[in-house]
Amino acid sequence: MKSKYKSSRSIIAVILVIAVVAGFALDLYTIQIRDNEYYSELNNTEEKYVVPIEAARGEIVDRNGNSLVTNRQGNSVILNAVYFPSANSKENNQKRNKIIYNLIKLFESNGEEYADNLPLKIDKKGNIKFDGKKEDIATMKSADMLNLQPYATARNCFDAMLEKYEIEGYDDRTALKIGNIRYELTRLLFSYENPVTIADDVSDKTIAKIKEDKETYLGADVRVVAYREYVDSTIAPHILGTVRKINAEEYNELKDEGYKITDQIGESGIEQAMESELRGTAGELTITISRDGTITEEVTKKPIQGNTVVLTIDRDLQVLAQNKLKDVCNSVSILSSAGAVVVEDCNSGEVLAAASYPTYDLNDYYDKYDELASNSRNPLWSRFALGTYAPGSTFKPVMACAAMEEGTINSDTIFTCTGTMEYRGQKFKCLHSVAHGGENVKTALRDSCNMFFYNCAMKLGISKMNEYAAAFGLGEKTGVEIAEASGLLATPENREKAGGLWNAGDTLQAAIGQSDNLFTPLQLANYCSAIANGGTRYEMHFVKSVIAASTGSVRETGATVADTIELSKTTLDAVHQGMRLVATQGGPYLVFNEIDTKVACKTGTSEVIVNGAKRNNGFLITYAPYDSPEIAVSSVVELAGSGSETAEITAEIIDYWYQNNTDAKTNQKVGTILP
């Protein structure tokens, strides 16, 4: 008799088998029939990668639409991880090194430059040396790179590089070249999504060779990219600024905004200030690798070029200002003089031109950076924005405004100048110790009489003097988009902060633009504009408008009032007439009599010590036309001796502006003419 237990087990086993078979059948039905399309696609597609396509930066043009900074197309050589051997084995590392060596030989035979950011070099004797900044060497030794201790020697770094990248069978010099490119791949996070450029702006000859022999140069690819180009690389370099590859610190700060470690970024000037507008929107290249190894690439999002930035400067006026400034500085001293000039629209704060001398060529900036940076004349220094100077007698118009508005003097007040005076035991002199006799505010401005303004200072006091100076924007930033200095007002507080002691005589010195007063040429132009237009101080700006690349819409910057100084008509008339007398009877009259446009101005000098000898810097602030002010000009020429010597620059600028400012050009300047 059969056991009931065994019979039950057999039945259960059969049921389980049937259930398993049914389950497999159901899965087979689901995969092969019901969800066939889904699983087929899943089976055929192994991976998808999205690679950013760099967008061209926006252009920079002058107020009339003349191009200043554009782009040109060029070829870069990249390594693409999709095709390049992986680094997962010694064999593949050696393949990588061989391909890189082949590329290096090609680059060198065609005179191409290639990646060279590993801070190591080999000297003539074959010794390994560090070659780079301290921060670059520290990065090389970091855990993410060669993972060495801070005290590691250059030879330690070189040996670690050989080991990390398994570079074998090459002499040291060749190994270092290969290591440079391997290091670049590590530094720039080489991956499927992040191809790395190893050579920029290469020749068609090199490109053709890479395309012809894909096996020898496996993984090397060519990208057509936009390179920054200048219509004239000597025009306004301190305004336009420079671009460069993003550094590690900036990348860490900006990666959440979509920046890649391989991106370019504005480094200075308008390129930096307007980075968000100029940058553009990256496109996307989708790379698909199927199960059978087939690779396809498709542009799934086109890049959008950055917006066009329209500047307030007039290209031709800028060139004139630069050239004339250079001529005058060189006539003073071709070896040591320097200077700056600023032209401003009195009624909007727009900067029409701003030049600094000595200057530099934007095309040479990176190639000659060390030479430029070590030049004792500081050509990289923007003297109109970052240079601060004691303004000398150009400060006297604000003193006149303060004294008249506070009731300290009126237009008929006369102080007698005997050439010298004593105040609290200290002797003070007038300009050249000349005795001017009786002076009112107008003639005191014309003659630049120190004694008149010493008397004003004794009655006003330093606090009230600086209240007006600050209202005119002296000692504070003007608002321009690029880097600028704030300057300094002479005050007891600032003197004490610097560890000094304020004396009663400092108030008198401050009244004639000496003591601790330090202002930029931008501030002097803005201050002059406010006097010219009746007391409205505008924020200065270099950007007139922005034109959107995607829509063509125009966003105007417009005028922004920074402060309004309440000045009576009596005060304005007296100061304007006094400044007009400087132009018609003062030091610059011979120059200004030669132009058709009536101007008003104030000269200034400030004493400096050069190689132990006393010299003077020359200053001039001017507005024109006198009857209906439109533009203001400030100029400084170091070692010029007097402000009158700078008048030649200002006269040519004003004469050019009004000789060439035809009705058609005037209309052009009213608004942006670009589409």
Side-chain angles (χ1 to χ4, degrees):
M1 184 177 176
K2 292 183 179 179
S3 167
K4 291 183 179 180
Y5 175 70
K6 289 182 178 179
S7 178
S8 297
R9 277 198 310 179
S10 298
I11 293 170
I12 292 171
V14 171
I15 292 171
L16 287 173
V17 170
I18 293 170
V20 170
V21 171
F24 278 122
L26 181 60
D27 286 344
L28 191 60
Y29 168 78
T30 301
I31 294 170
Q32 294 290 336
I33 300 174
R34 194 188 71 181
D35 296 333
N36 176 64
E37 186 176 340
Y38 168 78
Y39 284 103
S40 294
E41 184 178 343
L42 190 65
N43 183 58
N44 288 334
T45 303
E46 186 175 84
E47 294 289 352
K48 281 191 177 183
Y49 302 96
V50 177
V51 178
I53 303 173
E54 183 180 345
R57 287 179 74 81
E59 296 188 357
I60 303 175
V61 302
D62 84 338
R63 64 188 297 112
N64 302 310
N66 297 307
S67 292
L68 298 171
V69 186
T70 60
N71 300 296
R72 64 173 175 81
Q73 285 192 337
N75 296 310
S76 65
V77 176
I78 66 165
L79 286 177
N80 190 333
V82 174
Y83 305 96
F84 198 55
S86 64
N88 58 3
S89 68
K90 182 172 183 176
E91 181 183 359
N92 277 356
N93 261 322
Q94 291 175 342
K95 287 181 180 178
R96 280 189 165 198
N97 296 335
K98 179 63 175 176
I99 294 167
I100 289 171
Y101 179 50
N102 292 337
L103 285 164
I104 288 170
K105 289 190 293 182
L106 175 63
F107 293 152
E108 291 183 346
S109 67
N110 291 340
E112 312 285 10
E113 294 184 1
Y114 53 92
D116 184 17
N117 292 308
L118 181 67
L120 293 175
K121 69 176 181 179
I122 301 177
D123 65 18
K124 293 180 179 180
K125 295 181 180 180
N127 299 313
I128 307 296
K129 302 287 187 181
F130 288 123
D131 181 33
K133 298 177 182 177
K134 289 182 179 180
E135 54 266 32
D136 294 332
I137 295 170
T139 297
M140 175 179 64
K141 295 178 182 180
S142 67
D144 292 335
M145 304 305 291
L146 298 182
N147 194 24
L148 295 172
Q149 295 296 329
Y151 53 78
T153 66
R155 186 75 217 191
N156 294 152
C157 294
F158 182 79
D159 291 340
M161 176 204 73
L162 296 179
E163 181 180 354
K164 179 180 178 70
Y165 300 125
E166 299 183 285
I167 303 175
E168 300 174 351
Y170 301 94
D171 63 81
D172 283 356
R173 294 186 188 279
T174 302
L176 184 58
K177 293 175 183 179
I178 295 170
N180 249 304
I181 292 181
R182 293 297 303 268
Y183 181 80
E184 189 78 347
L185 298 183
T186 305
R187 188 178 72 87
L188 297 181
L189 310 177
F190 183 55
S191 68
Y192 281 8
E193 294 91 348
N194 191 41
V196 169
T197 299
I198 59 170
D200 278 309
D201 212 8
V202 298
S203 65
D204 291 341
K205 181 180 179 182
T206 298
I207 295 305
K209 192 68 176 175
I210 290 173
K211 288 184 175 181
E212 287 170 6
D213 193 350
K214 292 190 176 181
E215 285 301 316
T216 301
Y217 310 111
L218 185 65
D221 201 357
V222 178
R223 288 282 167 84
V224 178
V225 296
Y227 291 103
R228 225 50 175 147
E229 186 168 68
Y230 307 98
V231 174
D232 182 337
S233 55
T234 66
I235 296 177
H238 299 95
I239 299 172
L240 298 176
T242 55
V243 292
R244 57 162 169 74
K245 294 285 188 181
I246 195 171
N247 61 39
E249 183 179 347
E250 291 164 337
Y251 168 67
N252 287 329
E253 292 176 1
L254 297 171
K255 60 185 177 182
D256 291 340
E257 297 179 25
Y259 280 83
K260 302 296 182 185
I261 190 65
T262 54
D263 280 352
Q264 295 245 328
I265 192 169
E267 179 183 32
S268 62
I270 292 298
E271 292 279 18
Q272 180 186 49
M274 301 302 290
E275 169 68 18
S276 61
E277 299 289 351
L278 292 167
R279 181 185 172 213
T281 304
E284 292 180 354
L285 176 69
T286 300
I287 299 175
T288 304
I289 307 175
S290 65
R291 176 71 68 178
D292 63 7
T294 302
I295 301 172
T296 58
E297 298 182 4
E298 180 186 3
V299 176
T300 49
K301 180 182 176 183
K302 291 184 178 180
I304 301 173
Q305 183 172 347
N307 297 333
T308 297
V309 172
V310 183
L311 299 186
T312 56
I313 68 171
D314 180 289
R315 181 196 61 189
D316 296 338
L317 183 68
Q318 177 71 28
V319 171
L320 174 74
Q322 290 181 192
N323 291 340
K324 196 60 190 176
L325 177 65
K326 176 183 177 180
D327 290 345
V328 171
C329 287
N330 286 343
S331 69
V332 170
S333 173
I334 198 168
L335 297 176
S336 55
S337 184
V341 60
V342 176
V343 187
E344 179 185 2
D345 185 321
C346 293
N347 303 304
S348 69
E350 292 183 355
V351 181
L352 303 175
S356 180
Y357 183 78
T359 185
Y360 65 99
D361 188 320
L362 283 165
N363 281 335
D364 294 339
Y365 177 75
Y366 288 109
D367 291 339
K368 297 183 178 180
Y369 179 79
D370 290 341
E371 178 185 334
L372 291 167
S374 61
N375 188 317
S376 61
R377 297 182 72 189
N378 298 317
L380 298 178
W381 187 250
S382 171
R383 284 172 166 79
F384 61 78
L386 296 171
T388 56
Y389 300 88
S393 295
T394 58
F395 189 76
K396 288 173 180 174
V398 74
M399 282 295 299
C401 290
M404 291 192 71
E405 286 300 306
E406 292 301 309
T408 300
I409 63 170
N410 59 44
S411 56
D412 297 322
T413 299
I414 292 178
F415 293 120
T416 301
C417 170
T418 59
T420 62
M421 65 174 285
E422 190 171 304
Y423 179 66
R424 297 193 180 183
Q426 187 176 355
K427 190 174 182 179
F428 291 86
K429 297 180 179 181
C430 202
L431 189 65
H432 307 306
S433 298
V434 173
H436 293 114
E439 296 268 57
N440 61 29
V441 65
K442 299 174 191 175
T443 58
L445 286 170
R446 177 195 65 192
D447 299 332
S448 205
C449 179
N450 290 347
M451 295 301 159
F452 185 93
F453 293 101
Y454 288 153
N455 278 280
C456 292
M458 286 186 282
K459 295 175 180 294
L460 278 171
I462 191 66
S463 295
K464 189 58 70 174
M465 288 161 52
N466 284 338
E467 179 183 320
Y468 279 84
F472 278 104
L474 297 173
E476 64 180 70
K477 294 183 178 182
T478 65
V480 291
E481 297 85 353
I482 66 175
E484 63 171 327
S486 57
L488 185 71
L489 275 175
T491 68
E493 295 77 16
N494 286 334
R495 176 72 64 82
E496 289 171 9
K497 285 178 184 177
L501 181 65
W502 185 266
N503 299 308
D506 285 308
T507 299
L508 274 63
Q509 292 290 354
I512 61 168
Q514 301 286 349
S515 185
D516 299 335
N517 283 321
L518 293 171
F519 310 137
T520 67
L522 282 174
Q523 290 170 5
L524 292 176
N526 208 24
Y527 145 60
C528 184
S529 288
I531 287 176
N533 67 33
T536 301
R537 176 166 62 89
Y538 292 96
E539 286 188 5
M540 298 183 79
H541 54 282
F542 283 106
V543 177
K544 186 174 180 62
S545 61
V546 176
I547 304 173
S550 56
T551 64
S553 62
V554 179
R555 184 172 72 254
E556 297 281 350
T557 300
T560 301
V561 175
D563 202 351
T564 302
I565 306 105
E566 298 294 335
L567 299 173
S568 68
K569 185 177 184 302
T570 302
T571 296
L572 287 169
D573 285 348
V575 174
H576 287 173
Q577 289 166 23
M579 292 178 70
R580 176 63 180 156
L581 288 175
V582 178
T584 57
Q585 300 176 18
Y589 85 95
L590 288 174
V591 176
F592 287 133
N593 279 353
E594 295 297 314
I595 64 175
D596 294 333
T597 306
K598 293 180 179 180
V599 306
C601 66
K602 184 68 193 81
T603 56
T605 59
S606 64
E607 189 175 89
V608 292
I609 305 297
V610 180
N611 297 326
K614 292 182 179 180
R615 301 288 299 273
N616 286 326
N617 292 334
F619 300 85
L620 184 66
I621 57 172
T622 309
Y623 67 83
Y626 171 67
D627 296 324
S628 181
E630 294 175 349
I631 65 171
V633 184
S634 71
S635 59
V636 54
V637 175
E638 296 175 17
L639 313 182
S642 71
S644 296
E645 291 190 46
T646 74
E648 188 179 335
I649 303 170
T650 301
E652 285 215 19
I653 286 171
I654 291 172
D655 190 48
Y656 169 84
W657 186 252
Y658 287 104
Q659 290 297 321
N660 292 276
N661 199 10
T662 62
D663 290 342
K665 192 167 185 179
T666 301
N667 291 335
Q668 206 175 60
K669 291 176 182 296
V670 171
T672 301
I673 63 166
L674 299 174

